[in-house]
Amino acid sequence: MEPSRPAPKKGVRHRMIGQMLVEGGLLTQEQLTRALDEQKRRGGRLGGVLKAMGMVDELTMIEFLGRQLGIPHVDLSKATIDPDVVTLIPEALARRTRAVPINRDGKDLIVAMVDPLNVFAIDDIRRTTSLEIVPVVATEREIMKAIDRHYTVRESMEEIVRGIDAEQAAAAEEEGPLSLEAMADETPVVKLVNMVITQADRDRASDVHIEPDQNVIRIRYRIDGLLRDVMESPKHLHAGLSSRLKIMASMDIAEKRVPQDGRFEIGVGGKAYDVRMSTLPTLFGEKIVLRLLEKGTRMADLAELGLDADLLAVYEKLVLRPHGFILVTGPTGSGKTTTIYASIARINSAEKNIITIEDPIEYQLARVNQVPLNPKAGVTFASGLRAIVRQDPDVIMVGEIRDSETATIAIHAALTGHLVFSTLHTNDAAGAVARLVDMGVEPFLIASSLLGVAGQRLARRLCVKCRASYEASPDLLKELGLEGVPGPVLFYRAVGCPACRQAGYLGRVGIFEMMTMSETLRRMVVAKETSSRLRAQAIREGMRSLREDGLRKAAAGLTSVEEILRVTTDVEE
């Protein structure tokens, strides 16, 4: 083993780093002097002192020093950390040195460090691992999160692996439901389920995907609309994991050949969740998806959905109409249900009888009579809707138009003095008319009842703490159809910081198009004009397309051009 390099004195190293920051224009000499005086008084790392004094944020400093010293900066939120490599450094040493191993290349161990110039820490890790240490730099917050996640998860996984023997798990599967039920109640399996859901809550996940592969179980979370790999576990844990979840969701643990659906409630971190669960038989076992719905969440107002002031005014006029048919369209996961709930909340009052039929009921609304779909008991959208119209309703909400019968009943209800809300899976607002016609609804009925159609998508919202502005190039403006816009056009790009876990995005924002039915559009519907012609006419009448609305939000710094292009690729422009 090569001898360690002599360590520079701490004060000397910090003066060197501080001087580099001054020479690089990130600090003035006066600021450095004040920071060094503060460091002598309070102790700690210079980077922490500079951050506390608001002079230089940690990410900017390490990126700068990484370039100056030739030490690469790594984004730990996106890096793949080898779980076997994590075991090479004990957790106590990782926390003391603020370092986490990432990967191994032969005798070289790549280690992310807060202070890659700390040769004492490097020597400690080298002695422990008997490997040569190749430091890379990351923020302290990134590293501590990585330690919390990977050591905690690994410790839990190792405990579970110790608690469930592979042969015992295989025997339980062969012996049948009673053995599986007993295994599902064992402490290690219970801990695994709790760990998966707790981590999903911490990561703000909307869905958990548990996917069996040939040799492992892969667990992924959907965060802000995109799936991310989270962890892998040994394949023999699948039987206990799936059985435990099935018991919680009141499903048949012995049935593995057909899909099943269920639900359960669970408390995590002081919050109550309603969890919808579904299973699907695959080649290597049952895939499980959990949809997490936080109970008691305050419903968003219409003004909070992302509608610009002019679109909000147009939509509110539709919502306040006494009768008619209002549709919200978009793909799965585009926020249609949230928009419908916000619409109902806007008009909810003691004077109105509001009844909904949903599959399932995602949020409970005060003073609203909500009916869950129950096909086994004969309660479908169509049969439930027929019963609802006999209940003297003022407002009706149908979770989704799925068939001709439901569409026809909903439209007749709108024509007979009721305000009806529903959703459709179409790419844009104009496509809703064609979809209803395809279902067998007469065009004159659509033209007579339809008030308007709102098309929508959800785009990831840029993190306001790290987004960076840039001037759009002429080529980009031409690609976006904005070449005639006067003056410089500023957009924003995702950067990544500890606040957003280096994703560059935090949360989502809605983008919308609003097609209100004019006399011209009604005549075109009766004449069975194509969706493209309806769309063109609506745009001539002032409708702003999804992409145009999205680009406005990109220019306002709410999201990025790349994100708008991603979520509107299926829309004909």
Side-chain angles (χ1 to χ4, degrees):
M1 183 180 297
E2 296 181 4
S4 303
R5 292 177 293 168
K9 293 181 181 180
K10 184 175 182 180
V12 172
R13 185 173 75 244
H14 282 167
R15 279 198 294 273
M16 178 186 72
I17 291 173
Q19 199 57 46
M20 289 173 63
L21 292 172
V22 171
E23 292 169 1
L26 274 71
L27 283 179
T28 65
Q29 189 64 51
E30 180 186 355
Q31 287 176 318
L32 175 60
T33 301
R34 286 167 46 208
L36 289 172
D37 289 342
E38 180 68 13
Q39 184 193 19
K40 288 177 184 177
R41 188 181 67 81
R42 65 192 293 184
R45 296 170 48 248
L46 179 61
V49 173
L50 291 170
K51 180 181 177 182
M53 296 178 72
M55 293 182 178
V56 181
D57 70 85
E58 189 177 22
L59 182 61
T60 300
M61 188 176 75
I62 66 172
E63 287 179 341
F64 171 78
L65 293 176
R67 291 193 298 270
Q68 295 295 313
L69 300 171
I71 300 175
H73 166 241
V74 65
D75 181 349
L76 287 183
S77 69
K78 298 177 182 176
T80 301
I81 297 179
D82 187 337
D84 294 327
V85 168
V86 171
T87 62
L88 296 174
I89 299 180
E91 182 177 357
L93 178 60
R95 291 188 182 278
R96 178 169 61 81
T97 58
R98 284 172 168 71
V100 63
I102 299 175
N103 213 334
R104 179 177 176 178
D105 184 7
K107 293 185 178 181
D108 291 337
L109 182 65
I110 295 89
V111 180
M113 304 182 68
V114 172
D115 185 359
L117 296 180
N118 187 342
V119 293
F120 299 114
I122 291 174
D123 282 348
D124 286 345
I125 297 171
R126 182 187 290 118
R127 280 194 296 270
T128 301
T129 63
S130 298
L131 296 169
E132 287 303 311
I133 307 306
V134 179
V136 295
V137 65
T139 66
E140 183 172 8
R141 184 168 180 175
E142 282 181 330
I143 286 176
M144 297 314 292
K145 278 194 173 184
I147 290 173
D148 288 341
R149 168 171 290 183
H150 291 281
Y151 281 97
T152 302
V153 168
R154 187 168 187 86
E155 182 181 331
S156 299
M157 292 303 303
E158 287 174 351
E159 181 182 351
I160 291 163
V161 170
R162 287 195 299 269
I164 303 176
D165 182 79
E167 292 183 4
Q168 292 176 341
E173 278 204 88
E174 291 180 6
E175 290 173 14
L178 291 179
S179 296
L180 284 173
E181 188 170 347
M183 182 171 63
D185 288 333
E186 291 181 359
T187 301
V189 177
V190 174
K191 283 185 175 180
L192 175 59
V193 170
N194 291 340
M195 181 188 73
V196 168
I197 297 178
T198 299
Q199 191 64 50
D201 169 69
R202 290 174 182 167
D203 289 351
R204 301 182 301 105
S206 61
D207 300 84
V208 177
H209 289 239
I210 301 170
E211 303 167 333
D213 208 333
Q214 189 166 8
N215 301 310
V216 297
I217 310 168
R218 186 171 296 105
I219 298 176
R220 300 194 288 169
Y221 293 160
R222 188 175 294 281
I223 303 170
D224 290 336
L226 298 180
L227 280 172
R228 301 181 187 177
D229 286 334
V230 176
M231 64 185 88
E232 290 184 352
S233 64
K235 180 64 179 292
H236 70 265
L237 300 183
H238 183 259
L241 177 62
S242 60
S243 296
R244 174 65 183 170
L245 287 168
K246 283 182 176 180
I247 289 171
M248 293 171 69
S250 302
M251 298 164 112
D252 184 352
I253 65 172
E255 182 56 77
K256 303 175 184 178
R257 299 165 299 174
V258 297
Q260 296 188 67
D261 293 291
R263 65 193 309 160
F264 59 90
E265 295 181 2
I266 190 169
V268 180
K271 292 177 281 188
Y273 281 98
D274 184 11
V275 182
R276 291 160 47 191
M277 173 176 164
S278 66
T279 67
L280 181 71
T282 70
L283 179 62
F284 298 113
E286 288 179 289
K287 172 179 165 63
I288 297 169
V289 174
L290 307 176
R291 166 65 60 86
L292 308 181
L293 300 168
E294 186 180 347
K295 300 179 71 174
T297 303
R298 186 184 70 84
M299 288 305 305
D301 295 327
L302 280 178
E304 298 172 334
L305 298 179
L307 286 159
D308 287 347
D310 56 343
L311 291 185
L312 178 61
V314 170
Y315 187 64
E316 277 196 319
K317 283 184 180 179
L318 298 182
V319 169
L320 293 172
R321 295 280 290 272
H323 55 81
F325 193 26
I326 298 174
L327 278 171
V328 181
T329 71
T332 300
S334 59
K336 299 186 298 296
T337 301
T338 300
T339 299
I340 293 287
Y341 276 143
S343 304
I344 290 175
R346 174 65 179 84
I347 59 176
N348 192 3
S349 68
E351 293 78 27
K352 288 186 172 67
N353 177 21
I354 303 175
I355 308 179
T356 73
I357 180 163
E358 308 172 55
D359 181 29
I361 296 170
E362 295 191 10
Y363 298 101
Q364 296 178 13
L365 303 175
R367 284 201 305 265
V368 176
N369 305 282
Q370 296 173 269
V371 180
L373 213 65
N374 189 350
K376 292 181 180 178
V379 182
T380 63
F381 278 125
S383 65
L385 189 51
R386 273 195 297 269
I388 287 172
V389 296
R390 295 193 292 269
Q391 288 283 312
D392 186 32
D394 298 291
V395 180
I396 300 170
M397 189 270 267
V398 185
E400 183 184 342
I401 301 292
R402 295 178 181 173
D403 53 57
S404 174
E405 188 177 10
T406 305
T408 301
I409 299 170
I411 285 177
H412 277 291
L415 289 171
T416 53
H418 306 93
L419 183 62
V420 181
F421 294 91
S422 193
T423 69
L424 268 178
H425 290 277
T426 63
N427 288 341
D428 59 11
V433 174
R435 182 63 54 84
L436 291 173
V437 172
D438 289 342
M439 288 181 177
V441 181
E442 290 292 343
F444 75 90
L445 292 177
I446 301 172
S448 301
S449 62
L450 191 62
L451 298 177
V453 185
Q456 72 178 77
R457 296 288 189 280
L458 288 177
R460 290 182 295 167
R461 187 187 291 268
L462 282 170
C463 175
V464 296
K465 293 187 177 180
C466 64
R467 65 187 180 185
S469 63
Y470 65 96
E471 186 175 330
S473 66
D475 288 342
L476 176 59
L477 293 175
K478 184 177 180 180
E479 180 185 350
L480 298 175
L482 301 175
E483 59 267 36
V485 176
V489 177
L490 290 181
F491 288 121
Y492 295 76
R493 63 168 56 92
V495 176
C497 69
C500 60
R501 299 180 63 179
Q502 304 304 318
Y505 299 93
L506 192 61
R508 290 189 286 179
V509 62
I511 62 173
F512 300 86
E513 63 181 14
M514 198 71 60
M515 186 179 81
T516 55
M517 296 301 291
S518 64
E519 286 306 313
T520 301
L521 286 172
R522 294 185 196 281
R523 287 195 296 270
M524 292 176 71
V525 170
V526 174
K528 299 183 180 180
E529 295 281 7
T530 63
S531 295
S532 59
R533 291 190 175 182
L534 288 173
R535 178 179 176 80
Q537 177 60 30
I539 290 174
R540 282 193 293 271
E541 293 179 3
M543 183 182 84
R544 192 157 64 233
S545 71
L546 281 168
R547 180 161 292 182
E548 184 182 351
D549 188 55
L551 291 176
R552 286 187 175 212
K553 289 181 170 64
L558 296 176
T559 187
S560 66
V561 170
E562 293 78 11
E563 186 68 3
I564 294 304
L565 295 178
R566 180 183 71 85
V567 300
T568 60
T569 51
D570 58 342
V571 182
E572 182 182 350
E573 293 296 316

